[in-house]
Amino acid sequence: MQLVDWIVIGVLVLSLLIGSLVGFGKLLKIFTGGIVGVIISVVVTYFCIGIVSSWGFVQELMAKLLTVMKNADNTIVNFLIDIGIEKIILAVAIFIIVQIVRIIIVNIIKGVVEAENAVMKVVNRFFGAVFMVAIACMIALLVFHVIDLIGGNTEQDFINSISGSKLRIDYIFEHNPLQYIIQRIIPSEPEAFVG
């Protein structure tokens, strides 16, 4: 096994240990409260934009907004069209919805998991371990995405260091699920939202 495989195994074991010791309730508070919660909402919004913008009725609304704005034909409106105001409005709307849903879900889950009985303590530790592993995987995918965005020698050096991994880290890097979401966010045709 390569060094990268041992690093991944170490991170997974450490994540399982931390998650089971801290518990799901406390981890949920840590990863969804304050500025971390806002950052999570921003990241979720970023990845939801591609999915939501592909929905037919959303594309129609954005196309209608652009049509109305183009008919106005003044300097401010033209500037707003140039900066992609329809995408900004969509992103702000999704962010607000994600924030509301996040707060509701966190309060419900926190109330359930922090119940004081033996079964819930085991459940709290189990889901804490699962949640911490999921967080570690998400961070790894985000790091892979950033390396892919940087490209060049940095990306090539990273690919060389993970190639031949027994845990298939090179395959995960090459087929990063975040890449497919990004491709939906940034359409190949510049006028994809115009009807």
Side-chain angles (χ1 to χ4, degrees):
M1 290 207 314
Q2 295 182 340
L3 177 62
V4 69
D5 296 322
W6 289 111
I7 292 172
V8 168
I9 290 170
V11 167
L12 289 177
V13 168
L14 187 63
S15 298
L16 285 169
L17 185 64
I18 291 172
S20 63
L21 289 176
V22 175
F24 185 66
K26 288 182 183 172
L27 284 173
L28 195 63
K29 285 180 191 175
I30 292 168
F31 285 105
T32 60
I35 189 69
V36 178
V38 173
I39 292 169
I40 289 172
S41 294
V42 168
V43 170
V44 170
T45 300
Y46 176 72
F47 291 115
C48 285
I49 289 173
I51 296 166
V52 174
S53 66
S54 69
W55 296 348
F57 77 94
V58 173
Q59 288 181 349
E60 289 174 17
L61 284 172
M62 292 170 72
K64 285 179 185 176
L65 175 65
L66 281 176
T67 303
V68 168
M69 292 178 73
K70 285 180 180 177
N71 290 338
D73 194 30
N74 72 40
T75 309
I76 294 173
V77 173
N78 290 339
F79 171 74
L80 293 175
I81 292 171
D82 288 342
I83 65 169
I85 190 67
E86 76 281 3
K87 294 174 189 170
I88 294 170
I89 292 171
L90 178 65
V92 169
I94 293 172
F95 177 78
I96 291 169
I97 292 168
V98 167
Q99 280 281 77
I100 292 168
V101 169
R102 178 184 62 83
I103 290 167
I104 291 170
I105 290 174
V106 166
N107 286 332
I108 291 171
I109 293 173
K110 197 168 28 167
V112 171
V113 223
E114 291 182 347
E116 287 296 324
N117 65 49
V119 174
M120 286 314 294
K121 286 183 180 180
V122 171
V123 168
N124 189 23
R125 291 185 184 279
F126 172 76
F127 282 112
V130 171
F131 183 65
M132 195 65 199
V133 168
I135 293 292
C137 290
M138 186 54 138
I139 290 170
L141 291 176
L142 284 170
V143 168
F144 288 177
H145 178 63
V146 169
I147 291 170
D148 185 56
L149 287 176
I150 293 170
N153 290 336
T154 303
E155 181 181 18
Q156 193 56 50
D157 291 345
F158 184 74
I159 289 171
N160 292 340
S161 70
I162 63 172
S163 66
S165 164
K166 298 288 184 196
L167 298 176
R168 306 278 301 183
I169 305 303
D170 49 350
Y171 179 84
I172 294 169
F173 178 78
E174 185 180 330
H175 297 94
N176 188 345
L178 299 183
Q179 278 304 110
Y180 301 110
I181 297 170
I182 299 303
Q183 289 169 0
R184 297 199 65 135
I185 293 172
I186 304 169
S188 56
E189 301 171 18
E191 296 296 320
F193 299 119
V194 179

